[in-house]
Amino acid sequence: MKLIWIISLASVIGLAGLGCSDFLEREPKNMLYPDTYYNSEKNLEAALTGVYSTLGDTYLYGNNYVVGLGNDADESYYFRSTYTYGPVIYNHTASDAGVSNLWTILYKGIGRANLLLYKLPQAEVEEKVKERIKGEALFLRGYFYFLLVQTFGSVPLVLEPTLVPENMSVPQSSPADVYAQILKDMKMAEGLVFTLNDVNHAGRVTQSAVRGILARVCLYMAGEPVNDITKYKDARYWCKKVMEDTEFKHELNPDYRQVFINLAQDKYDTKESIWEVEFWGNLSDAYGETGIIGGMNGINNDYDSEIGIARGMYAATGTFYKIYEEDDTLRRDWNIAPFTYSSTPDEKDNSKYHTVKVYHAPESYWRRYLGKYRREMETLVPKAAHNTPINYPLLRYSDVLLMYAEAENELFKMPTGAAYNAINQVRRRAFGKLMEGAVDVDKYDVRGLDYRSFQKIVREERSRELCFESLRKGDLIRWGIFVERMHEVADDIEQDMADVKEVNYKPASYCVTGFRNVSEKHILQPIPAKELSLNRLLKQNPSW
């Protein structure tokens, strides 16, 4: 059953009024947060809901962060020739609305968490309830800072509600200091939150989610710009905590496709999908929070509302398509749609039309829409135009396995048996070898590799497995190869166009400039111009 967050008026007004994004605004706002409001478990849960709701905001996973900020990096490109400005083609400025709104919503979420944590000690409720709510709020605050630090670098570190205008100007803290606070918050949360045995869905922060995200945070700290290689050991530790959990056994869904069908159909498989952003509803009433998952980043469909209207704003790059191995078709053809929708007249009645699937020619691999999130799999009807109830994955067990394999290889400078076991679980599922009746289950296992070869295949496997989950750009940056890789895509487009002078490659031709535009300054987004004008202690990122 979908977990429906219902936010009370008091929590909306009070929490939004003290959102940390607003500490940079000069005009104080009226707020409703009577001291008695936080004295009931119901109201504390409502306040926590306000923190959670940040995740589904249109400026975060509800839209912009998923499709507008280039987080898919070398995996996709904007499939429209009319788009001439923005982060997606890397020619934006510090005044870009998408960048500014991301900063705003993340600090608003932090502000909501800060206010809840500030008020929580005075609440007259059971201590175990207070401790669990504290854990969730701490983790979410840490997660919002994690998104901020990887996007903007040095950012203001605010850990208490901003109650007076005099405290609105706050200096930036270094990435190392921000990461230290993230670790502190998340480690404290790990012992306070629910376990997956306590809940039956992935919409709430659980111990497995905290541990898996801690592993991700540690891998980021081990890479650029912090370069604390001791964190590979910590990443390995947190992955093992998930992998070896005896109270709740995680495992991969045998069918890769089913993971994303479940996201579309409000089905939970917490053994695989550990943490998700909850979306629900079809805009038919006031109760719901829809996103654009599958609507903007799905298979284009202008014809059939029963399947689900989708704008198909993005296509997979041919560069990404070509990293799939020859037999990895089950996973490739799910992630990169081998067809598009078209409309054809009824043979008996030309006034009626049918929607059909038109399959691409094998060589047409620069024109393929993203297929991971498919509106035809939705079961909630009627379907809204473009908006969807499809949940968005924030942590999957396959990610934990791949993070473990990476950390193990980096820690020992060679792949161990445990590293091979982890990556081969992911590969066996990819090639259908976990399904009932599968034979030669180890046919596609990797073995006998040196450190560099294993590193390369882990990096490729992360893309093949986790594409279009807002992870790729961060991976490329922490590995120190973001700019190089983006230029390689531009080279690939130009080479393919030279080799195959057909219309199939023309949709990619106008995006060459976008990949060429990428430079070292794009490793970080600019500090929003509005924030610089409001907080004189802020300093702009290099070259912006």
Side-chain angles (χ1 to χ4, degrees):
M1 178 178 178
K2 180 73 69 176
L3 176 67
I4 298 179
W5 303 108
I6 299 181
I7 311 175
S8 72
L9 176 62
S11 68
V12 171
I13 296 176
L15 295 173
L18 281 179
C20 202
S21 64
D22 298 321
F23 75 80
L24 299 180
E25 297 179 10
R26 294 301 181 185
E27 294 298 326
K29 298 179 179 179
N30 293 326
M31 293 162 285
L32 291 176
Y33 59 98
D35 291 339
T36 57
Y37 180 79
Y38 293 87
N39 277 345
S40 74
E41 182 176 347
K42 177 182 177 181
N43 288 353
L44 289 174
E45 291 288 1
L48 181 61
T49 296
V51 186
Y52 270 102
S53 69
T54 305
L55 294 168
D57 192 275
T58 188
Y59 298 129
L60 195 53
Y61 294 111
N63 192 331
N64 288 17
Y65 194 76
V66 174
V67 300
L69 292 173
N71 290 318
D72 292 329
D74 61 336
E75 294 173 345
S76 72
Y77 67 97
Y78 191 79
F79 201 36
R80 295 287 189 276
S81 59
T82 56
Y83 200 74
T84 59
Y85 168 83
V88 73
I89 55 175
Y90 297 93
N91 67 348
H92 58 297
T93 69
S95 297
D96 181 78
V99 173
S100 180
N101 288 332
L102 176 63
W103 174 287
T104 297
I105 192 57
L106 289 172
Y107 271 113
K108 185 165 287 188
I110 290 166
R112 292 173 175 178
N114 283 342
L115 182 57
L116 175 56
L117 291 166
Y118 178 76
K119 291 290 186 179
L120 191 58
Q122 72 186 33
E124 297 177 0
V125 298
E126 288 187 61
E127 197 63 29
K128 65 179 182 179
V129 172
K130 291 166 63 172
E131 289 292 284
R132 190 260 306 158
I133 291 175
K134 176 182 178 180
E136 292 179 68
L138 281 171
F139 173 80
L140 289 168
R141 181 175 73 177
Y143 187 75
F144 298 145
Y145 269 121
F146 180 44
L147 297 182
L148 275 167
V149 72
Q150 63 180 275
T151 304
F152 297 102
S154 298
V155 296
L157 193 57
V158 183
L159 304 176
E160 295 182 355
T162 303
L163 301 175
V164 292
E166 286 76 12
N167 294 336
M168 289 180 179
S169 290
V170 182
Q172 289 150 291
S173 295
S174 70
D177 287 343
V178 177
Y179 273 114
Q181 184 63 46
I182 293 168
L183 289 180
K184 181 180 178 180
D185 282 355
M186 291 188 175
K187 286 180 179 179
M188 185 177 295
E190 189 253 350
L192 300 176
V193 300
F194 282 132
T195 70
L196 273 169
N197 285 324
D198 299 320
V199 295
N200 61 356
H201 57 81
R204 192 150 210 158
V205 172
T206 61
Q207 199 169 67
S208 293
V210 175
R211 291 168 174 174
I213 297 299
L214 270 166
R216 185 181 295 168
V217 169
C218 289
L219 280 184
Y220 274 70
M221 295 181 72
E224 295 188 5
V226 177
N227 291 310
D228 180 0
I229 61 174
T230 65
K231 289 297 185 288
Y232 284 122
K233 183 177 180 180
D234 294 337
R236 175 176 174 264
Y237 168 82
W238 289 113
C239 286
K240 287 187 72 174
K241 292 280 279 187
V242 179
M243 295 161 62
E244 298 176 357
D245 189 341
T246 56
E247 293 185 14
F248 189 92
K249 180 176 173 53
H250 289 281
E251 60 187 15
L252 298 176
N253 191 304
D255 188 340
Y256 180 80
R257 299 163 296 189
Q258 190 61 45
V259 175
F260 306 98
I261 295 172
N262 288 344
L263 293 174
Q265 297 183 350
D266 197 18
K267 297 177 181 177
Y268 296 97
D269 176 10
T270 49
K271 291 177 181 285
E272 158 98 17
S273 190
I274 299 172
W275 188 32
E276 305 168 6
V277 183
E278 296 266 22
F279 294 108
W280 69 94
N282 56 5
L283 304 182
S284 62
D285 55 39
Y287 299 99
E289 183 176 23
T290 58
I292 53 78
I293 311 305
M296 297 282 275
N297 60 346
I299 307 168
N300 190 71
N301 172 29
D302 298 323
Y303 312 101
D304 194 334
S305 59
E306 290 188 8
I307 292 175
I309 301 298
R311 297 181 67 184
M313 304 293 282
Y314 293 81
T317 66
T319 308
F320 171 49
Y321 181 89
K322 288 183 287 188
I323 72 166
Y324 281 94
E325 297 167 53
E326 183 178 358
D327 291 341
D328 194 356
T329 55
L330 183 153
R331 185 169 56 171
R332 183 199 68 196
D333 290 348
W334 183 265
N335 291 334
I336 306 173
F339 64 86
T340 187
Y341 296 108
S342 186
S343 184
T344 183
D346 187 274
E347 293 182 358
K348 297 181 179 179
D349 184 351
N350 287 340
S351 66
K352 296 181 180 180
Y353 288 81
H354 300 290
T355 300
V356 296
K357 293 180 179 179
V358 179
Y359 284 82
H360 296 291
E363 68 275 9
S364 181
Y365 49 77
W366 281 97
R367 296 174 56 86
R368 304 189 180 202
Y369 293 106
L370 316 186
K372 188 166 240 181
Y373 312 105
R374 304 191 179 192
R375 298 215 62 191
E376 65 180 288
M377 299 300 170
E378 294 173 29
T379 53
L380 180 63
V381 292
K383 297 180 181 181
H386 309 304
N387 292 72
T388 80
I390 300 176
N391 283 6
Y392 193 66
L394 296 182
L395 178 69
R396 296 196 288 115
Y397 185 54
S398 58
D399 189 5
V400 175
L401 292 170
L402 292 174
M403 288 192 291
Y404 179 82
E406 178 180 352
E408 188 89 349
N409 187 53
E410 297 295 338
L411 188 60
F412 296 104
K413 296 302 177 186
M414 61 175 291
T416 63
Y420 280 124
N421 181 60
I423 194 172
N424 285 332
Q425 287 184 59
V426 178
R427 289 178 59 81
R428 288 181 182 185
R429 196 264 297 278
F431 291 92
K433 298 300 183 179
L434 298 186
M435 293 186 188
E436 187 176 351
V439 297
D440 298 327
V441 295
D442 61 351
K443 180 178 179 179
Y444 298 99
D445 287 4
V446 293
R447 55 177 69 89
L449 302 177
D450 61 18
Y451 162 68
R452 289 295 181 191
S453 298
F454 191 83
Q455 182 188 70
K456 180 177 183 293
I457 201 165
V458 167
R459 292 178 176 184
E460 291 177 346
E461 200 64 35
R462 285 190 63 80
S463 188
R464 289 188 284 253
E465 173 72 20
L466 304 170
C467 59
F468 318 134
E469 297 181 32
S470 301
L471 295 172
R472 184 60 171 173
K473 184 178 180 182
D475 279 348
L476 294 176
I477 289 172
R478 68 183 177 87
W479 294 328
I481 60 174
F482 172 62
V483 177
E484 171 191 347
R485 181 60 176 169
M486 297 298 276
H487 291 174
E488 287 176 356
V489 176
D491 293 341
D492 203 18
I493 295 169
E494 292 173 340
Q495 184 62 55
D496 277 354
M497 289 178 63
D499 290 346
V500 185
K501 295 182 179 180
E502 295 182 6
V503 70
N504 289 331
Y505 293 93
K506 287 183 179 179
S509 64
Y510 60 81
C511 75
V512 172
T513 302
F515 289 100
R516 287 275 180 242
N517 282 343
V518 175
S519 66
E520 292 295 323
K521 81 172 189 176
H522 294 108
I523 289 173
L524 294 175
Q525 294 288 1
I527 304 299
K530 183 184 78 169
E531 306 300 333
L532 290 169
S533 69
L534 294 171
N535 182 355
R536 299 298 183 179
L537 299 180
L538 295 178
K539 296 180 180 179
Q540 186 55 277
N541 285 325
S543 301
W544 285 101

